[in-house]
Amino acid sequence: GAVVSQHPSRVICKSGTSVKIECRSLDFQATTMFWYRQFPKQSLMLMATSNEGSKATYEQGVEKDKFLINHASLTLSTLTVTSAHPEDSSFYICSARVASGIIYQETQYFGPGTRLLVL
Amino acid sequence: GDSVTQMEGPVTLSEEAFLTINCTYTATGYPSLFWYVQYPGEGLQLLLKATKADDKGSNKGFEATYRKETTSFHLEKGSVQVSDSAVYFCALSDPGAGGYNKLIFGAGTRLAVHP
């Protein structure tokens, strides 16, 4: 099946620094990638939808200047947490969707997630 | 807005026991419904889906039926195995702005199966 990777799997940083998380579709081209955030024992919350070559669409309440998303190619999207603070500590998960011809396939393939801890 | 509610875990079962994980949803339109599974250390994987009322999704012995009248999509398996231990997420897709579907997830239910 389709594989999505994330790097790094775990990162610890100091408050005020920026952290970049990569999401790659390894064996398929993803026109759309999604970024989610998951708090402990809670659901995944969609942060933004990223389309290759265009600006990301952010969900209500998500600061686009804080969570910078770049989808430069059909296999790579990046999420940069700028000026990170302890409240940004969370589990960040990306997914990629395969677009098949005219009809969108709804299946999203998920990465394993990146755990961010801001000290 | 749209939402998904699923039973809290953890659910602890003995091997070969019957499993039910309840999921109900709220949606304004006609959503597609999904169950995803997350094994330890791995990403979410699609387990099964149903796109319209009365559809039954099935995979690996798991089943769920899209019940519009009760707005439910309960996950069932007749005989669980230790290898089924994972976190299970119920989700719906909601056609969003620009026609790009997005997933709305429940909180997840952890299943632990012991020998």
Side-chain angles (χ1 to χ4, degrees), chain A residues 52-78:
Chain A
E52 186 264 338
S54 63
K55 291 184 178 181
T57 301
Y58 289 82
E59 294 299 301
Q60 191 172 6
V62 178
E63 300 177 59
K64 59 182 179 182
D65 294 330
K66 180 161 190 65
F67 298 100
L68 300 179
I69 291 172
N70 184 282
H71 193 162
S73 76
L74 287 171
T75 59
L76 173 65
S77 177
T78 60

PDB file of all heavy atoms in Angstrom, chain A residues 52-78:
ATOM      1  N   GLU A  52      -0.405  20.993  -3.618  1.00  0.00           N
ATOM      2  CA  GLU A  52       0.877  21.214  -4.275  1.00  0.00           C
ATOM      3  C   GLU A  52       0.841  22.475  -5.124  1.00  0.00           C
ATOM      4  O   GLU A  52      -0.055  22.662  -5.932  1.00  0.00           O
ATOM      5  CB  GLU A  52       1.231  19.990  -5.129  1.00  0.00           C
ATOM      6  CG  GLU A  52       2.609  20.056  -5.746  1.00  0.00           C
ATOM      7  CD  GLU A  52       2.571  20.570  -7.166  1.00  0.00           C
ATOM      8  OE1 GLU A  52       1.509  20.492  -7.801  1.00  0.00           O
ATOM      9  OE2 GLU A  52       3.614  21.045  -7.645  1.00  0.00           O
ATOM     10  N   GLY A  53       1.805  23.337  -4.854  1.00  0.00           N
ATOM     11  CA  GLY A  53       1.954  24.541  -5.646  1.00  0.00           C
ATOM     12  C   GLY A  53       1.064  25.698  -5.263  1.00  0.00           C
ATOM     13  O   GLY A  53       1.087  26.738  -5.926  1.00  0.00           O
ATOM     14  N   SER A  54       0.277  25.544  -4.222  1.00  0.00           N
ATOM     15  CA  SER A  54      -0.578  26.655  -3.816  1.00  0.00           C
ATOM     16  C   SER A  54      -0.528  26.837  -2.309  1.00  0.00           C
ATOM     17  O   SER A  54       0.008  25.998  -1.586  1.00  0.00           O
ATOM     18  CB  SER A  54      -2.023  26.426  -4.282  1.00  0.00           C
ATOM     19  OG  SER A  54      -2.560  25.278  -3.677  1.00  0.00           O
ATOM     20  N   LYS A  55      -1.111  27.921  -1.836  1.00  0.00           N
ATOM     21  CA  LYS A  55      -1.102  28.199  -0.398  1.00  0.00           C
ATOM     22  C   LYS A  55      -1.998  27.218   0.339  1.00  0.00           C
ATOM     23  O   LYS A  55      -3.036  26.790  -0.165  1.00  0.00           O
ATOM     24  CB  LYS A  55      -1.572  29.623  -0.139  1.00  0.00           C
ATOM     25  CG  LYS A  55      -0.599  30.693  -0.605  1.00  0.00           C
ATOM     26  CD  LYS A  55      -1.099  32.084  -0.232  1.00  0.00           C
ATOM     27  CE  LYS A  55      -0.104  33.149  -0.665  1.00  0.00           C
ATOM     28  NZ  LYS A  55      -0.574  34.513  -0.295  1.00  0.00           N
ATOM     29  N   ALA A  56      -1.591  26.917   1.567  1.00  0.00           N
ATOM     30  CA  ALA A  56      -2.384  26.010   2.378  1.00  0.00           C
ATOM     31  C   ALA A  56      -3.663  26.684   2.866  1.00  0.00           C
ATOM     32  O   ALA A  56      -3.725  27.906   3.024  1.00  0.00           O
ATOM     33  CB  ALA A  56      -1.563  25.530   3.573  1.00  0.00           C
ATOM     34  N   THR A  57      -4.670  25.877   3.091  1.00  0.00           N
ATOM     35  CA  THR A  57      -5.933  26.347   3.669  1.00  0.00           C
ATOM     36  C   THR A  57      -5.965  25.932   5.126  1.00  0.00           C
ATOM     37  O   THR A  57      -5.942  24.741   5.437  1.00  0.00           O
ATOM     38  CB  THR A  57      -7.134  25.735   2.927  1.00  0.00           C
ATOM     39  OG1 THR A  57      -7.069  26.087   1.544  1.00  0.00           O
ATOM     40  CG2 THR A  57      -8.438  26.262   3.525  1.00  0.00           C
ATOM     41  N   TYR A  58      -6.037  26.931   6.001  1.00  0.00           N
ATOM     42  CA  TYR A  58      -5.971  26.661   7.437  1.00  0.00           C
ATOM     43  C   TYR A  58      -7.371  26.574   8.039  1.00  0.00           C
ATOM     44  O   TYR A  58      -8.280  27.290   7.622  1.00  0.00           O
ATOM     45  CB  TYR A  58      -5.175  27.766   8.139  1.00  0.00           C
ATOM     46  CG  TYR A  58      -3.697  27.724   7.830  1.00  0.00           C
ATOM     47  CD1 TYR A  58      -3.195  28.277   6.661  1.00  0.00           C
ATOM     48  CD2 TYR A  58      -2.809  27.124   8.703  1.00  0.00           C
ATOM     49  CE1 TYR A  58      -1.840  28.238   6.365  1.00  0.00           C
ATOM     50  CE2 TYR A  58      -1.451  27.081   8.433  1.00  0.00           C
ATOM     51  CZ  TYR A  58      -0.987  27.635   7.252  1.00  0.00           C
ATOM     52  OH  TYR A  58       0.359  27.588   6.975  1.00  0.00           O
ATOM     53  N   GLU A  59      -7.496  25.712   9.026  1.00  0.00           N
ATOM     54  CA  GLU A  59      -8.754  25.606   9.752  1.00  0.00           C
ATOM     55  C   GLU A  59      -8.901  26.799  10.703  1.00  0.00           C
ATOM     56  O   GLU A  59      -7.918  27.435  11.104  1.00  0.00           O
ATOM     57  CB  GLU A  59      -8.805  24.303  10.533  1.00  0.00           C
ATOM     58  CG  GLU A  59      -8.831  23.076   9.645  1.00  0.00           C
ATOM     59  CD  GLU A  59     -10.028  23.033   8.735  1.00  0.00           C
ATOM     60  OE1 GLU A  59     -11.174  23.047   9.245  1.00  0.00           O
ATOM     61  OE2 GLU A  59      -9.834  23.000   7.493  1.00  0.00           O
ATOM     62  N   GLN A  60     -10.131  27.037  11.058  1.00  0.00           N
ATOM     63  CA  GLN A  60     -10.405  28.158  11.952  1.00  0.00           C
ATOM     64  C   GLN A  60      -9.663  27.967  13.273  1.00  0.00           C
ATOM     65  O   GLN A  60      -9.665  26.871  13.849  1.00  0.00           O
ATOM     66  CB  GLN A  60     -11.914  28.241  12.209  1.00  0.00           C
ATOM     67  CG  GLN A  60     -12.347  29.508  12.903  1.00  0.00           C
ATOM     68  CD  GLN A  60     -13.862  29.610  12.960  1.00  0.00           C
ATOM     69  OE1 GLN A  60     -14.579  28.688  12.574  1.00  0.00           O
ATOM     70  NE2 GLN A  60     -14.353  30.739  13.427  1.00  0.00           N
ATOM     71  N   GLY A  61      -9.030  29.024  13.723  1.00  0.00           N
ATOM     72  CA  GLY A  61      -8.312  28.972  14.993  1.00  0.00           C
ATOM     73  C   GLY A  61      -6.859  28.576  14.880  1.00  0.00           C
ATOM     74  O   GLY A  61      -6.132  28.631  15.884  1.00  0.00           O
ATOM     75  N   VAL A  62      -6.413  28.190  13.701  1.00  0.00           N
ATOM     76  CA  VAL A  62      -5.008  27.816  13.509  1.00  0.00           C
ATOM     77  C   VAL A  62      -4.252  29.016  12.951  1.00  0.00           C
ATOM     78  O   VAL A  62      -4.653  29.577  11.918  1.00  0.00           O
ATOM     79  CB  VAL A  62      -4.881  26.621  12.550  1.00  0.00           C
ATOM     80  CG1 VAL A  62      -3.407  26.277  12.311  1.00  0.00           C
ATOM     81  CG2 VAL A  62      -5.626  25.418  13.103  1.00  0.00           C
ATOM     82  N   GLU A  63      -3.185  29.404  13.631  1.00  0.00           N
ATOM     83  CA  GLU A  63      -2.424  30.583  13.211  1.00  0.00           C
ATOM     84  C   GLU A  63      -1.516  30.233  12.047  1.00  0.00           C
ATOM     85  O   GLU A  63      -0.542  29.496  12.196  1.00  0.00           O
ATOM     86  CB  GLU A  63      -1.576  31.093  14.370  1.00  0.00           C
ATOM     87  CG  GLU A  63      -2.374  31.494  15.599  1.00  0.00           C
ATOM     88  CD  GLU A  63      -1.438  31.909  16.719  1.00  0.00           C
ATOM     89  OE1 GLU A  63      -0.648  32.859  16.517  1.00  0.00           O
ATOM     90  OE2 GLU A  63      -1.482  31.279  17.787  1.00  0.00           O
ATOM     91  N   LYS A  64      -1.797  30.795  10.900  1.00  0.00           N
ATOM     92  CA  LYS A  64      -1.000  30.445   9.723  1.00  0.00           C
ATOM     93  C   LYS A  64       0.409  31.015   9.785  1.00  0.00           C
ATOM     94  O   LYS A  64       1.323  30.482   9.145  1.00  0.00           O
ATOM     95  CB  LYS A  64      -1.701  30.904   8.448  1.00  0.00           C
ATOM     96  CG  LYS A  64      -1.967  32.389   8.363  1.00  0.00           C
ATOM     97  CD  LYS A  64      -2.713  32.693   7.070  1.00  0.00           C
ATOM     98  CE  LYS A  64      -3.020  34.168   6.939  1.00  0.00           C
ATOM     99  NZ  LYS A  64      -3.787  34.453   5.691  1.00  0.00           N
ATOM    100  N   ASP A  65       0.608  32.084  10.539  1.00  0.00           N
ATOM    101  CA  ASP A  65       1.953  32.636  10.662  1.00  0.00           C
ATOM    102  C   ASP A  65       2.801  31.835  11.642  1.00  0.00           C
ATOM    103  O   ASP A  65       4.030  31.935  11.636  1.00  0.00           O
ATOM    104  CB  ASP A  65       1.895  34.090  11.124  1.00  0.00           C
ATOM    105  CG  ASP A  65       1.258  34.985  10.075  1.00  0.00           C
ATOM    106  OD1 ASP A  65       1.392  34.643   8.874  1.00  0.00           O
ATOM    107  OD2 ASP A  65       0.642  35.990  10.436  1.00  0.00           O
ATOM    108  N   LYS A  66       2.143  31.055  12.469  1.00  0.00           N
ATOM    109  CA  LYS A  66       2.874  30.235  13.427  1.00  0.00           C
ATOM    110  C   LYS A  66       3.166  28.846  12.849  1.00  0.00           C
ATOM    111  O   LYS A  66       4.201  28.274  13.095  1.00  0.00           O
ATOM    112  CB  LYS A  66       2.065  30.074  14.705  1.00  0.00           C
ATOM    113  CG  LYS A  66       2.765  29.224  15.746  1.00  0.00           C
ATOM    114  CD  LYS A  66       2.193  29.447  17.115  1.00  0.00           C
ATOM    115  CE  LYS A  66       3.068  28.777  18.144  1.00  0.00           C
ATOM    116  NZ  LYS A  66       4.408  29.389  18.220  1.00  0.00           N
ATOM    117  N   PHE A  67       2.231  28.337  12.105  1.00  0.00           N
ATOM    118  CA  PHE A  67       2.375  27.005  11.518  1.00  0.00           C
ATOM    119  C   PHE A  67       2.471  27.186   9.999  1.00  0.00           C
ATOM    120  O   PHE A  67       1.466  27.203   9.297  1.00  0.00           O
ATOM    121  CB  PHE A  67       1.188  26.122  11.899  1.00  0.00           C
ATOM    122  CG  PHE A  67       1.047  25.886  13.372  1.00  0.00           C
ATOM    123  CD1 PHE A  67       0.132  26.615  14.125  1.00  0.00           C
ATOM    124  CD2 PHE A  67       1.835  24.949  14.017  1.00  0.00           C
ATOM    125  CE1 PHE A  67       0.006  26.401  15.490  1.00  0.00           C
ATOM    126  CE2 PHE A  67       1.708  24.725  15.372  1.00  0.00           C
ATOM    127  CZ  PHE A  67       0.795  25.452  16.113  1.00  0.00           C
ATOM    128  N   LEU A  68       3.710  27.278   9.543  1.00  0.00           N
ATOM    129  CA  LEU A  68       3.947  27.518   8.120  1.00  0.00           C
ATOM    130  C   LEU A  68       3.963  26.198   7.364  1.00  0.00           C
ATOM    131  O   LEU A  68       4.689  25.286   7.728  1.00  0.00           O
ATOM    132  CB  LEU A  68       5.284  28.239   7.926  1.00  0.00           C
ATOM    133  CG  LEU A  68       5.411  29.609   8.603  1.00  0.00           C
ATOM    134  CD1 LEU A  68       6.789  30.188   8.331  1.00  0.00           C
ATOM    135  CD2 LEU A  68       4.327  30.555   8.132  1.00  0.00           C
ATOM    136  N   ILE A  69       3.175  26.119   6.330  1.00  0.00           N
ATOM    137  CA  ILE A  69       3.086  24.888   5.549  1.00  0.00           C
ATOM    138  C   ILE A  69       3.510  25.178   4.129  1.00  0.00           C
ATOM    139  O   ILE A  69       3.054  26.140   3.503  1.00  0.00           O
ATOM    140  CB  ILE A  69       1.655  24.324   5.595  1.00  0.00           C
ATOM    141  CG1 ILE A  69       1.349  23.825   7.003  1.00  0.00           C
ATOM    142  CG2 ILE A  69       1.490  23.200   4.575  1.00  0.00           C
ATOM    143  CD1 ILE A  69      -0.085  23.425   7.215  1.00  0.00           C
ATOM    144  N   ASN A  70       4.380  24.312   3.636  1.00  0.00           N
ATOM    145  CA  ASN A  70       4.862  24.409   2.263  1.00  0.00           C
ATOM    146  C   ASN A  70       4.680  23.073   1.573  1.00  0.00           C
ATOM    147  O   ASN A  70       5.040  22.026   2.113  1.00  0.00           O
ATOM    148  CB  ASN A  70       6.339  24.808   2.257  1.00  0.00           C
ATOM    149  CG  ASN A  70       6.866  25.008   0.844  1.00  0.00           C
ATOM    150  OD1 ASN A  70       7.162  24.053   0.140  1.00  0.00           O
ATOM    151  ND2 ASN A  70       6.960  26.258   0.442  1.00  0.00           N
ATOM    152  N   HIS A  71       4.104  23.089   0.403  1.00  0.00           N
ATOM    153  CA  HIS A  71       3.884  21.850  -0.364  1.00  0.00           C
ATOM    154  C   HIS A  71       4.532  22.053  -1.720  1.00  0.00           C
ATOM    155  O   HIS A  71       3.852  22.304  -2.717  1.00  0.00           O
ATOM    156  CB  HIS A  71       2.377  21.613  -0.479  1.00  0.00           C
ATOM    157  CG  HIS A  71       2.022  20.240  -0.963  1.00  0.00           C
ATOM    158  ND1 HIS A  71       0.759  19.722  -0.795  1.00  0.00           N
ATOM    159  CD2 HIS A  71       2.732  19.293  -1.593  1.00  0.00           C
ATOM    160  CE1 HIS A  71       0.720  18.512  -1.322  1.00  0.00           C
ATOM    161  NE2 HIS A  71       1.895  18.238  -1.803  1.00  0.00           N
ATOM    162  N   ALA A  72       5.847  21.949  -1.730  1.00  0.00           N
ATOM    163  CA  ALA A  72       6.630  22.345  -2.904  1.00  0.00           C
ATOM    164  C   ALA A  72       6.605  21.323  -4.024  1.00  0.00           C
ATOM    165  O   ALA A  72       6.863  21.662  -5.182  1.00  0.00           O
ATOM    166  CB  ALA A  72       8.070  22.607  -2.474  1.00  0.00           C
ATOM    167  N   SER A  73       6.325  20.069  -3.696  1.00  0.00           N
ATOM    168  CA  SER A  73       6.315  19.048  -4.738  1.00  0.00           C
ATOM    169  C   SER A  73       5.201  18.061  -4.451  1.00  0.00           C
ATOM    170  O   SER A  73       4.541  18.123  -3.407  1.00  0.00           O
ATOM    171  CB  SER A  73       7.660  18.316  -4.782  1.00  0.00           C
ATOM    172  OG  SER A  73       7.765  17.399  -3.707  1.00  0.00           O
ATOM    173  N   LEU A  74       4.995  17.149  -5.382  1.00  0.00           N
ATOM    174  CA  LEU A  74       3.921  16.177  -5.231  1.00  0.00           C
ATOM    175  C   LEU A  74       4.234  15.091  -4.206  1.00  0.00           C
ATOM    176  O   LEU A  74       3.395  14.243  -3.926  1.00  0.00           O
ATOM    177  CB  LEU A  74       3.611  15.531  -6.588  1.00  0.00           C
ATOM    178  CG  LEU A  74       2.869  16.427  -7.570  1.00  0.00           C
ATOM    179  CD1 LEU A  74       2.803  15.767  -8.948  1.00  0.00           C
ATOM    180  CD2 LEU A  74       1.468  16.741  -7.083  1.00  0.00           C
ATOM    181  N   THR A  75       5.446  15.114  -3.663  1.00  0.00           N
ATOM    182  CA  THR A  75       5.807  14.087  -2.682  1.00  0.00           C
ATOM    183  C   THR A  75       6.278  14.663  -1.353  1.00  0.00           C
ATOM    184  O   THR A  75       6.655  13.910  -0.459  1.00  0.00           O
ATOM    185  CB  THR A  75       6.913  13.166  -3.235  1.00  0.00           C
ATOM    186  OG1 THR A  75       8.057  13.971  -3.558  1.00  0.00           O
ATOM    187  CG2 THR A  75       6.445  12.435  -4.479  1.00  0.00           C
ATOM    188  N   LEU A  76       6.268  15.975  -1.216  1.00  0.00           N
ATOM    189  CA  LEU A  76       6.806  16.563   0.005  1.00  0.00           C
ATOM    190  C   LEU A  76       5.990  17.755   0.457  1.00  0.00           C
ATOM    191  O   LEU A  76       5.710  18.680  -0.305  1.00  0.00           O
ATOM    192  CB  LEU A  76       8.247  16.999  -0.216  1.00  0.00           C
ATOM    193  CG  LEU A  76       8.912  17.794   0.940  1.00  0.00           C
ATOM    194  CD1 LEU A  76       9.040  16.911   2.174  1.00  0.00           C
ATOM    195  CD2 LEU A  76      10.267  18.325   0.502  1.00  0.00           C
ATOM    196  N   SER A  77       5.625  17.721   1.738  1.00  0.00           N
ATOM    197  CA  SER A  77       5.035  18.881   2.396  1.00  0.00           C
ATOM    198  C   SER A  77       5.778  19.081   3.712  1.00  0.00           C
ATOM    199  O   SER A  77       6.187  18.106   4.354  1.00  0.00           O
ATOM    200  CB  SER A  77       3.547  18.662   2.669  1.00  0.00           C
ATOM    201  OG  SER A  77       2.987  19.752   3.374  1.00  0.00           O
ATOM    202  N   THR A  78       5.962  20.328   4.096  1.00  0.00           N
ATOM    203  CA  THR A  78       6.635  20.612   5.361  1.00  0.00           C
ATOM    204  C   THR A  78       5.774  21.497   6.241  1.00  0.00           C
ATOM    205  O   THR A  78       5.054  22.370   5.747  1.00  0.00           O
ATOM    206  CB  THR A  78       7.997  21.297   5.149  1.00  0.00           C
ATOM    207  OG1 THR A  78       7.794  22.535   4.452  1.00  0.00           O
ATOM    208  CG2 THR A  78       8.934  20.406   4.354  1.00  0.00           C
TER     209      THR A  78
END
